[in-house]
Amino acid sequence: MPVKKGRLKPEERYRIQKNYDFLKDNFDPVNGALDHLISDLVFDLSDNDFVTNGGEKTARGRVERFISVLENSGPDSYPCFIKALNSTGDQHIARQLEETHVPEDNKKDPLAWIDELPESVKQERPSDADASRLSTAFGAGWKHVFLELEVSQAKIDQALMNSPHSVSTAISSLISRWRQRNGSRAQFIVLLNAMKEASNRCIIDWDSIQTVVKGKLESTR
């Protein structure tokens, strides 16, 4: 069974982020939590290698890398993390996380509007004009969106070579080529979900994305 990926729930992300310094001061993933998460198919061996061997080899550095993986490890990752803490003598950390008050506003998914779009917009294929407008909303780490769309690194590199002076032009080209290659499957909802899945690994100007989508909504009325 493959390891699931995906974002934590908003309230779970809040609990982790609110206790970020506490975790760096009190937690070390190599003390057993990593083994539990691998056994539960939340982390895989490459995640383990990234946490234990990547970058600065200190407990605080391991926690930073651990959290970056955990935040994108799917809907089961936080409950499994709490279970791992309770199983490895770190019950006080689990209790700290679970007793953290989460304000109501932080329980809402700020990207819930994507799922609430009408089917007519979800199923529409992005035009070249849409691709051009969307491309300006991509920031650092934008390549992760296309990797989510199963565009190869070679295709990404080729687009950059073809537009060496304009990253937005390369991004626009990649969106258009993705649409052409995937035909009717290249729908707006697929692109938006790829952005959503990659949003913890890149910068996306969601206000600009919503502006483009609002234009699509108005054109269908």
Side-chain angles (χ1 to χ4, degrees):
M1 181 185 298
V3 171
K4 295 180 181 179
K5 294 295 180 185
R7 294 156 55 89
L8 295 181
K9 295 177 182 178
E11 60 266 33
E12 295 169 347
R13 283 176 54 82
Y14 181 87
R15 293 179 194 275
I16 294 292
Q17 292 173 358
K18 187 70 174 178
N19 291 287
Y20 191 68
D21 285 338
F22 173 82
L23 287 167
K24 290 205 292 184
D25 288 337
N26 294 275
F27 173 61
D28 190 340
V30 299
N31 288 342
L34 264 174
D35 292 339
H36 279 267
L37 292 175
I38 292 171
S39 297
D40 286 340
L41 300 180
V42 173
F43 282 21
D44 58 25
L45 294 179
S46 64
D47 294 328
N48 178 72
D49 184 61
F50 172 73
V51 172
T52 56
N53 298 319
E56 182 186 355
K57 294 179 174 60
T58 64
R60 291 175 67 86
R62 287 192 290 271
V63 172
E64 289 178 358
R65 294 189 292 277
F66 176 89
I67 290 174
S68 72
V69 176
L70 182 72
E71 288 187 328
N72 294 285
S73 292
D76 300 328
S77 57
Y78 179 81
C80 287
F81 176 44
I82 295 298
K83 184 179 75 171
L85 291 171
N86 284 321
S87 300
T88 56
D90 285 326
Q91 293 92 336
H92 65 293
I93 300 177
R95 186 164 56 251
Q96 170 80 10
L97 290 168
E98 291 290 82
E99 292 179 355
T100 297
H101 172 68
V102 182
E104 284 301 317
D105 286 347
N106 293 97
K107 294 180 181 179
K108 300 174 183 177
D109 184 355
L111 301 180
W113 59 270
I114 293 175
D115 295 327
E116 296 166 0
L117 290 171
E119 289 301 315
S120 58
V121 173
K122 288 182 180 180
Q123 295 175 10
E124 187 171 341
R125 298 175 69 214
S127 66
D128 286 342
D130 292 329
S132 180
R133 286 192 288 267
L134 290 168
S135 68
T136 62
F138 286 62
W142 59 269
K143 295 179 184 179
H144 289 289
V145 175
F146 292 97
L147 295 174
E148 285 286 339
L149 291 169
E150 298 183 350
V151 175
S152 69
Q153 184 65 55
K155 294 291 185 184
I156 295 171
D157 292 342
Q158 183 180 23
L160 286 169
M161 288 178 61
N162 292 339
S163 303
H165 303 298
S166 175
V167 172
S168 61
T169 299
I171 293 170
S172 178
S173 172
L174 284 165
I175 294 173
S176 296
R177 290 179 184 177
W178 166 76
R179 182 198 66 220
Q180 293 164 7
R181 188 187 65 189
N182 288 276
S184 61
R185 294 175 296 169
Q187 300 174 344
F188 240 99
I189 188 60
V190 177
L191 179 57
L192 290 172
N193 280 336
M195 293 179 188
K196 184 177 179 180
E197 288 299 320
S199 61
N200 285 330
R201 290 162 285 164
C202 65
I203 295 173
I204 294 177
D205 181 354
W206 285 106
D207 289 338
S208 295
I209 299 295
Q210 280 192 284
T211 298
V212 175
V213 173
K214 283 179 181 176
K216 308 303 292 183
L217 284 169
E218 291 172 1
S219 68
T220 59
R221 288 172 182 166

